Structures are given as structure tokens and as C-alpha cells.
Amino acid sequence: MFQTGTMKLESGKRIKGMMQVESHDLKLPVCAVCGCKEGPVVLITAGIHGAEYIGIQTARELSKELDPKEINGTIVFLLVANPQAAFSYTRLFVPEDGKNLNRAFPGKKDGSLSEKIAYTIEHELHSQADYYIDLHAGDTHEQVMPFVYYPGIAREEVMEKSRKMAQATGMKIRVKSSAATGSYNYAAIEGVPSILMERGGGGSFTNEQLASYKRDVVNVLSALGVVSKDREEEKDNIQNEVVNAVYTDSLAEGFWHPAKQPGEWFLKGDLLGTVEDVWGTPLQLCHAEFDGIVLYETTAMGVREGDSLIAYGECRQLS
């Protein structure tokens, strides 16, 4: 039976409480829903990047809407992993230490706040989960197309279970990650099948986007046998897998002008965007290395050297 701190679930009950961060006075909001029947523990986290609000709202609403009587197992929601960023509209970082929480895993018990949060999530939540869904979005300066990552660095059986979770979302694009960093990647390395979902951005969302995100999550829960609902997919949905991804950063301080939009297909050699100096002189021309699709891009015109500009992928179509 799942337990963190003094929170202990009982069959058929919904419990909410605050999880104490290791060696710190910060507490994080957790809601856990225990079904009336036995089943796996599914962890769902949101707000690792605090201004990615659609993930937070998806978790908040589903944690209230899912009925324990219709659940097999336990669903644990960490509603906001990085609360001060969420409350202060801070992109990417934990305000207290200026670090990217998603790059802090596995964390440190005696580290900075980001490292302590990561340590707590790993030891209190990852360690008790059978499956893991991490909800993200384009941040305040980004827009993303709806897509899902699954880990590419883990045991083969963990990667395969994660791939099936990604497929179950119904999203049209999935990406096999080559990274070892991030909450979901670290959980997978430790043996927990995991995915990271992306949708929306710009620090806002529509009711339609929110409904779609909730549908994506419930699709996975249904495929895992945790909820008794039929999966809902978009019409003519064929999922494509990104077999090669390029993440382009700015080589100079300047002004970014994208030529394509998230979700837009392009051909090898197409111009994807330009960084210019204040006089309009091109400093960096971003041309596509292959035929593919834009996954996400920054919407901020002003960029610094090293800032993310655009991510795109080469796809293969799957049935």
C-alpha cells in the first residue's frame, strides 16, 4: 500500500496531503486515489517546470474526477513539484536556487532545494510506483505540438512497457529519448516504465487543450487496466515515431524569427528559422538536416547564446 509521511491510503478512499521535502521546510501537494480493487501504483507528476500550467491543471482535475470505485490499484498525483515557480510565473527553474529541477535527478539529500525536491520525489514516489507519467508543456517562452517521450536508456523490458504507454496516449508523435536526465528518464533507469507528455505552452491553455490532455492521460490509465474506460483517439490517428531528433540552440545573442510552426512538416534543406542582430543581419540560419516535423520552438524573439531555438524530428510511420 502506497504511503508517504503520515499519508496512508485505504481501499476506496481519496486522500490529499502535503509531502515534506527532505531537509527543508517546503511541502508539496499530493493527492492519492486508491481503488476498490487491487492493481498497480501509477504516479502522475506535474509542475516540475512550474509555469507549464496545463500539466498542473490536468493533474488537479483528474485527481478530483477519477472515482475510486472505478479504479484498479492506486493513482498518486504530485500536483505541483515546483510551487514557487508556479506561483511566480517562472520559466524552467526553481526560483530559490536558479536550477532546472528536471536536470537535478537523482537529487541530493544535502543539496540545494532543486536537488532536495528531486531526492524526495525519487525516494518517496518513484520508489513506490509501478508506472510513471510526467506531465509537461511548452514553457512560458515555448510552444509544442502534442507528443510523448519514452525512455531509450533503460532495461529492454522497461523501454518496451514505456513504448506501449506512449502508444496508448493516442498522440500522433512519440519520441524515443536518448537522454539520461529528467525525472521520467531516471525513474526508467531505476526500473519504472515511464513517459513524459507535452502539449501547449506559453503559460496558458484552452479548455479544448485541457480536455485533450486529460483524454491522453486516461487513455494510458485505461491501457494499464487502472481505469475501466474505453480509449479515445483522434480520428485517423496513426502514431509516428521520431527516430532522429535535433535540438538547436542559439549561437549568439540576437532576435529569433521562426519560419515554421510546431506540428508543421518540412523538407530537408528548408529554412526553419533565423537569428538576427539588432540591424537585421543574419547571425544564424537554421536549415533542416532531413525531412521531418517541428516538435517545439521558442516563441521569445530575444534570445541569448545557448538558448533553445527549435527541436525537430525525423519520423517513421507506424500502424
Side-chain angles (χ1 to χ4, degrees):
M1 182 65 69
F2 171 84
Q3 184 173 1
T4 179
T6 59
M7 289 178 58
K8 185 174 182 180
L9 290 192
E10 299 177 21
S11 177
K13 297 291 181 67
R14 186 193 323 270
I15 295 177
K16 60 183 180 180
M18 303 300 287
M19 181 177 70
Q20 184 77 53
V21 171
E22 181 72 32
S23 304
H24 201 278
D25 58 5
L26 179 66
K27 296 181 179 181
L28 304 177
V30 174
C31 179
V33 186
C34 186
C36 294
K37 298 180 181 179
E38 291 186 1
V41 174
V42 180
L43 170 64
I44 300 176
T45 62
I48 281 182
H49 297 137
E52 297 179 1
Y53 295 115
I54 188 172
I56 294 172
Q57 189 63 13
T58 296
R60 291 177 68 215
E61 293 196 9
L62 284 177
S63 70
K64 293 183 288 186
E65 293 171 357
L66 292 174
D67 187 346
K69 295 177 182 178
E70 299 177 352
I71 293 173
N72 304 313
T74 303
I75 305 173
V76 181
F77 296 88
L78 174 57
L79 300 175
V80 191
N82 183 0
Q84 286 308 310
F87 298 139
S88 62
Y89 196 61
T90 300
R91 75 176 191 177
L92 291 179
F93 305 113
V94 174
E96 291 90 338
D97 62 11
K99 294 182 179 181
N100 185 335
L101 176 56
N102 212 36
R103 300 292 177 266
F105 287 83
K108 296 179 182 178
K109 187 174 183 178
D110 57 352
S112 69
L113 180 56
S114 294
E115 293 165 329
K116 289 177 179 177
I117 293 173
Y119 178 91
T120 303
I121 292 173
E122 177 203 347
H123 287 268
E124 293 290 328
L125 301 179
H126 287 179
S127 63
Q128 300 187 76
D130 297 304
Y131 301 96
Y132 177 29
I133 303 170
D134 191 18
L135 304 181
H136 284 249
D139 214 305
T140 60
H141 63 300
E142 297 171 322
Q143 283 291 336
V144 307
M145 70 165 295
F147 72 96
V148 55
Y149 284 106
Y150 75 99
I153 301 178
R155 296 198 309 271
E156 192 62 40
E157 64 268 26
V158 174
M159 290 191 292
E160 178 59 16
K161 289 180 179 180
S162 300
R163 185 195 64 78
K164 289 181 178 179
M165 290 170 67
Q167 186 174 13
T169 62
M171 289 174 153
K172 292 186 177 180
I173 296 291
R174 71 173 184 249
V175 181
K176 185 176 183 179
S177 174
S178 60
T181 59
S183 181
Y184 89 104
N185 273 321
Y186 185 75
I189 291 170
E190 292 296 295
V192 183
S194 305
I195 57 174
L196 184 155
M197 298 165 68
E198 297 269 15
R199 184 180 284 275
S204 63
F205 54 87
T206 65
N207 288 335
E208 182 179 5
Q209 287 174 319
L210 178 62
S212 294
Y213 216 171
K214 289 162 65 176
R215 178 200 65 209
D216 300 337
V217 175
V218 172
N219 279 346
V220 179
L221 296 175
S222 176
L224 294 175
V226 177
V227 298
S228 302
K229 292 185 178 181
D230 293 333
R231 291 179 59 237
E232 298 180 25
E233 292 186 353
E234 298 175 9
K235 291 182 179 179
D236 302 320
N237 184 62
I238 297 176
Q239 193 171 66
N240 293 272
E241 179 162 311
V242 168
V243 295
N244 184 21
V246 172
Y247 300 87
T248 302
D249 296 336
S250 181
L251 300 177
E253 184 177 79
F255 296 108
W256 163 246
H257 298 281
K260 304 290 182 181
Q261 298 298 314
E264 187 172 350
W265 295 90
F266 55 80
L267 300 176
K268 181 179 179 179
D270 281 357
L271 181 67
L272 302 180
T274 305
V275 177
E276 299 176 347
D277 67 14
V278 70
W279 311 110
T281 304
L283 301 174
Q284 182 178 354
L285 299 174
C286 301
H287 289 278
E289 298 180 14
F290 41 71
D291 297 356
I293 191 170
V294 177
L295 299 173
Y296 65 83
E297 66 187 18
T298 183
T299 56
M301 189 172 76
V303 294
R304 299 164 298 183
E305 182 180 352
D307 281 352
S308 173
L309 297 176
I310 191 168
Y312 60 95
E314 181 179 15
C315 295
R316 61 185 175 96
Q317 195 172 84
L318 306 166
S319 58

